[in-house]
Amino acid sequence: MSDSPAIADTPGPTAEPGRIDACVFARNEQDRLPDAVGSLLSDAAADRVRSVHLMVNGCTDDTPAVARSLAERDPRVVVHELPIGDKCNAWNAYVHRVVPTLSDPSARADDAAHVFMDGDVRCGPGAIAAMTRRLADVPRAYACAGLPLSGRNRAEMARLVVERRWVFGNLYVARGSHLARLADAGFRLPLGLMGNDHLITRAMKTALPDADDIDHGRVVWADGVGYAFDSLSPWRIEDVRIYQRRRVTYALRHEQLTIVGTVPLDRLPRTMDPINRRVLDKLNGLSLTPWDLRLAVRRKLGAMYPDLSTPHYRRMLGRAA
């Protein structure tokens, strides 16, 4: 997505925000999930929260049990245990399976708000109230992006939100009517995409089914509010391991986006298999040094596609959203 200058938002007539439903992604977040849900349900807008859906996906720790305990404490919390550890699939499950089952059509209304957040972040004080109010005040907007309140790169990430209207998956609010528009158009995130920020940003700026109708002003933000998280520590061995795995994941994501970023939203593949094989074919033709992260990416993809034809993710579609 190309750079775009900051856009002046014109507030519409004063409108009251409607109902709030939330989608929280949780994969191996047993220690952080209670704080994430607690920050959401203690927000100034908590009285408008109708439901909180914990999309527990592919966990190998006690996150499912922790999620069920949270549901026992508050009837608004609903646990969905998904067998595939994939955030894109969990997003698809919420939009295509959960939202249609909510109690009444108001979840798809123009004044309805759906909060999307990761299970390892915390909503800043008053974030949900401010973000839903901002969305209500700008009728043109489809989404309100949360600003990073912590992290070494928070200034650069905030700049991307403000200047390029970027939507980071850590925390954002989407208008109910736009989620309905995306679902009705059959929009799904590809299974196996490493990170969905890029496609979510495009989807929140696009009035599908017209994939070319992109308006940067459809994404707004609320000054000074967003999400916080605990940074990794170089002094903890497990954090160092997590960091190294993330570096490889980010390198693979970069390679994926050089291809998927050129695909129209209405032509996205159901899985990343064809794109991953193109990435692997490209990397196999390069002479890579031992310290080049793409070497680790090549090894990872080589294990997933030993003969360049066997699908890795397609065999999961029977269990996918």
Side-chain angles (χ1 to χ4, degrees), residues 4-289:
S4 60
I7 305 165
D9 299 312
T10 303
T14 300
E16 285 301 316
R19 65 179 284 168
I20 298 173
D21 296 278
C23 171
V24 181
F25 303 103
R27 184 182 185 191
N28 294 342
E29 299 295 354
Q30 62 180 29
D31 297 327
R32 289 171 286 270
L33 187 59
D35 287 341
V37 175
S39 69
L40 177 62
L41 292 177
S42 63
D43 190 86
D47 61 332
R48 291 191 287 115
V49 175
R50 300 282 191 89
S51 61
V52 178
H53 298 269
L54 307 185
M55 310 305 287
V56 178
N57 61 102
C59 294
T60 57
D61 67 356
D62 289 333
T63 297
V66 171
R68 290 191 292 269
S69 71
L70 294 172
E72 292 172 359
R73 299 175 203 170
D74 193 313
R76 293 174 293 178
V77 177
V78 183
V79 180
H80 305 269
E81 295 189 41
L82 307 176
I84 301 173
D86 187 272
K87 184 177 178 180
C88 291
N89 180 65
W91 190 93
N92 294 339
Y94 180 76
V95 172
H96 291 277
R97 293 183 183 176
V98 174
V99 174
T101 67
L102 297 180
S103 57
D104 58 72
S106 65
R108 292 163 59 96
D110 203 50
D111 66 347
H114 292 262
V115 177
F116 291 84
M117 66 180 292
D118 287 341
D120 62 349
V121 307
R122 302 176 298 278
C123 301
I128 306 305
M131 292 169 70
T132 54
R133 165 55 66 188
R134 179 69 170 143
L135 200 58
D137 286 346
V138 186
R140 166 193 186 189
Y142 292 164
C144 183
L147 294 170
L149 306 178
S150 62
R152 300 176 185 87
N153 298 321
R154 61 184 178 275
E156 174 61 17
M157 293 174 68
R159 185 190 69 80
L160 291 173
V161 172
V162 173
E163 295 183 7
R164 295 183 59 188
R165 303 303 175 100
W166 201 262
V167 179
F168 288 105
N170 310 78
L171 176 67
Y172 62 97
V173 178
R175 193 180 295 278
S177 57
H178 186 54
L179 278 193
R181 181 184 298 110
L182 294 176
D184 291 346
F187 174 77
R188 280 179 166 81
L189 297 171
L191 183 64
L193 176 64
M194 298 298 161
N196 60 22
D197 300 345
H198 180 93
L199 290 185
I200 290 295
T201 297
R202 289 171 62 191
M204 293 301 156
K205 295 179 179 182
T206 305
L208 287 174
D210 184 355
D212 295 324
D213 180 15
I214 297 177
D215 181 350
H216 298 288
R218 289 173 176 149
V219 171
V220 294
W221 74 96
D223 288 336
V225 299
Y227 59 93
F229 56 89
D230 296 326
S231 298
L232 297 177
S233 170
W235 311 115
R236 291 195 292 265
I237 296 299
E238 183 55 31
D239 282 6
V240 173
R241 291 171 178 161
I242 292 172
Y243 174 71
Q244 293 298 337
R245 289 195 295 269
R246 284 183 182 177
R247 291 183 69 211
V248 176
T249 297
Y250 295 159
L252 173 55
R253 180 177 65 185
H254 173 77
E255 296 295 333
Q256 289 178 331
L257 288 178
T258 60
I259 301 173
V260 78
T262 66
V263 179
L265 292 181
D266 57 351
R267 299 180 188 175
L268 292 172
R270 284 295 304 276
T271 79
M272 291 298 290
D273 285 328
I275 290 175
N276 282 348
R277 286 196 290 264
R278 286 178 59 184
V279 171
L280 180 56
D281 186 55
K282 167 193 166 183
L283 296 182
N284 280 338
L286 300 178
S287 177
L288 302 175
T289 60

